[in-house]
Amino acid sequence: MVGRPASRTDLDGILERGMAGPGRLSRPEIVRLLSLEDPGDLRRLRQAAYSVKLRHAGRNVSLRGLIEMGNVCAKNCFYCGIRRGNAKVERYELDAEAVAGMAKWAYDQKYGSVVIQSGEIESAEHTGLVCRILGRLADFSGGELGVTLSLGEQEEEVFRLWREAGAHRYLLRIETSSPELYRRLHPADHDFERRLLCLRRLRALGYQVGTGVMCGLPGQTLEQLADDVLFFRRLDADMLGLGPYIPHPDTPLGASLEIGDSYRARQLDLGLKMISVCRLYLHDVNIAAATALQALADNGRELGLGAGANVIMPNVTDLAHRKKYQLYAGKPCLEESSDRCRGCLALRVAGAGETILWGERGDSPHYRRR
Ligand code: SAH
Ligand code: SF4
């Protein structure tokens, strides 16, 4: 749907305030930006966000090689394709050898950083396995390789062990900052307060803390998304992983949702607007152009960069496992080897007029300043 153009002076005033410094927009102004639909207004929003990105990150993109370590998960989130209750999923967990091999490949390719992600497992064996993996990574890279973990909620002691073993970033999306919406998206034994507590624990342990939400969830309002943006600042987040929600047919939330072209376009637009608004409100955080953007449009990640993101997470998991790690429908690059992904990515990023920071860890400028 093409909306009516916003009054120029009014929108310009909001964008100028956003560009002037972090934390300057009010909640109604954020809602206003998220509700823009006129193509010209959307272009102005993107340009404003991009100018803030330029100031803090230049025309540069940092890479994180994504290693999908396993799809075994104790949780049953209503939206996620690898939830415990999805009996159609063939479960796997990579051993230390395999994860270290993928990370070494990423390191040799000068990706600078990796993200190790999996379903949520809380056990002594799993904790030990991750410690062994971190040890291997530190050994071959001499601590040069940036390591983000995205392994769900854990006890404080576990976060501490992993930090000591060499992890220095942790990504734990809050999914939504609305406790009420969170309750509707998760079974009763999933605890919003514990997720918050984990984010605080990570901060106290000195991790670079990443969080984020899904945009366009059923029943989610623009006001709730605006509250998410305010939440990121209250949390003092260093990194954001923001992505559109994409239904998965074998989940309670996704089973009855139709994914037509107009739905995809709406989800993509909202995801991009959210990136721009976060850039305008938070300024110097790392923002990833989530793979979910690419699932909605072939050039989704490049659009994410143009909207204000500065991080891309190319998949470096062996092809044999990628199909088993489908959080949402239409996951891209299921048939592309990591090698081919690398070539394709380099071309795409160059085509978008951006430069990849090969071999750099790409730490969050916000974290460095803090
Ligand atoms: N188990 C860990 C990490 C893996 S899930 C955790 O939950 O933190 C990583 C992210 O995938 C989640 O945070 C969620 O935001 C996203 N995700 C899951 N299902 C999705 C869907 N259907 N559409 C878009 N993103 C989804
Ligand atoms: Fe498990 Fe994470 Fe998926 Fe929830 S979102 S079911 S915790 S993998």
Side-chain angles (χ1 to χ4, degrees), residues 263-314:
Y263 178 83
R264 297 163 75 84
R266 274 203 314 278
Q267 295 298 89
L268 179 66
D269 279 354
L270 186 59
L272 294 171
K273 273 191 273 190
M274 192 66 177
I275 289 178
S276 292
V277 171
C278 286
R279 179 58 75 199
L280 277 178
Y281 192 67
L282 299 162
H283 279 228
D284 59 356
V285 297
N286 273 346
I287 303 181
T291 313
L293 292 170
Q294 197 192 351
L296 292 172
D298 199 38
N299 62 344
R301 289 181 306 186
E302 296 90 286
L303 293 174
L305 296 177
N310 67 316
V311 172
I312 288 187
M313 294 163 55

Side-chain angles (χ1 to χ4, degrees), residues 46-47 49-63 279 287 289 299 301-312 344-358:
R46 273 198 309 274
Q47 283 167 350
Y50 192 77
S51 74
V52 176
K53 180 216 137 153
L54 279 185
R55 208 182 305 154
H56 294 283
R59 215 172 271 279
N60 298 316
V61 182
S62 300
L63 299 185
R279 179 58 75 199
I287 303 181
N299 62 344
R301 289 181 306 186
E302 296 90 286
L303 293 174
L305 296 177
N310 67 316
V311 172
I312 288 187
C344 161
L345 178 80
L347 282 175
R348 282 168 172 277
V349 170
E354 304 264 329
T355 305
I356 293 178
L357 294 173
W358 296 109

Side-chain angles (χ1 to χ4, degrees), residues 79-80 118 150 173 175 195 214 244-246 325 327-328:
Y79 43 83
C80 177
S118 81
S150 177
R173 288 186 177 180
E175 314 297 2
R195 214 155 172 91
M214 284 171 287
Y245 162 69
I246 305 177
Y325 195 90
L327 309 172
Y328 45 78

